[in-house]
Amino acid sequence: MKNVGVWIDQKEANIITLANEDAIKTKTIYSDVETRVRIEGEKKQFGRFGDQYLVDEKGKKNRIEQHTMRYLNKVREELRSADQIMVFGPAQTKKRLEKLMFEDPNLVQKLKEIKASDNMTDNQKIAYVKAYFKEN
């Protein structure tokens, strides 16, 4: 049985796979989401066009959304071969991953739980996943 725990936030996702008690495999997927992107030649937060000021807030928001969806789709693809999935992490990104997983009927059946947790070291994440699947 292939049990998978995913610790996820906006910067990275750590996928911890437990094939059995001794076999542990970890993989880290880094996000390309940049919240402060500086475009070459940009000097101010706005551009002036005649008497109007143009702000690219909507474009920046759309770029962040596109990068986030690409990141979450990469994580979702890694989870396809799992038998049971538990997602945990500190941010709201885990909720967005859950919504994305609900679009795929195969992944929804495998999803056991979404849990809130703080930032952890790699060893703490592995211990957390082992303890969770030992209980359940």
Side-chain angles (χ1 to χ4, degrees):
M1 180 165 266
K2 196 171 177 184
N3 297 325
V4 176
V6 181
W7 183 91
I8 189 166
D9 71 356
Q10 192 173 3
K11 293 180 184 174
E12 67 181 49
N14 294 328
I15 300 171
I16 301 151
T17 306
L18 304 174
N20 55 41
E21 284 295 316
D22 299 327
I24 300 169
K25 181 181 158 198
T26 61
K27 181 174 183 176
T28 303
I29 298 175
Y30 293 99
S31 147
D32 296 333
V33 178
E34 291 185 34
T35 54
R36 295 184 184 203
V37 179
R38 184 182 182 287
I39 299 169
E40 190 64 37
E42 181 182 58
K43 295 181 182 175
K44 299 179 183 176
Q45 285 185 326
F46 57 87
R48 185 162 181 189
F49 184 72
D51 292 341
Q52 300 173 351
Y53 289 99
L54 304 174
V55 181
D56 191 29
E57 286 181 27
K58 197 172 196 177
K60 288 180 182 178
K61 183 179 177 186
N62 287 339
R63 278 191 294 275
I64 290 171
E65 183 66 26
Q66 288 172 356
H67 283 285
T68 303
M69 289 309 294
R70 262 189 257 141
Y71 165 58
L72 292 175
N73 280 323
K74 282 184 206 172
V75 173
R76 183 175 72 166
E77 289 304 314
E78 287 292 324
L79 300 177
R80 293 218 181 273
S81 63
D83 294 327
Q84 294 182 2
I85 303 168
M86 186 264 295
V87 180
F88 62 110
Q92 290 298 318
T93 312
K94 64 182 173 291
K95 295 289 185 187
R96 295 190 63 189
L97 179 62
E98 179 185 24
K99 284 182 184 177
L100 200 59
M101 290 173 74
F102 272 107
E103 294 174 8
D104 187 342
N106 294 328
L107 284 178
V108 172
Q109 294 171 354
K110 299 173 183 180
L111 183 63
K112 290 295 179 191
E113 193 169 0
I114 304 286
K115 295 183 121 188
S117 70
D118 292 328
N119 287 328
M120 300 178 174
T121 65
D122 291 339
N123 288 337
Q124 287 173 327
K125 292 171 192 173
I126 292 169
Y128 190 81
V129 171
K130 276 185 172 181
Y132 177 81
F133 284 113
K134 193 173 274 189
E135 282 179 11
N136 299 329

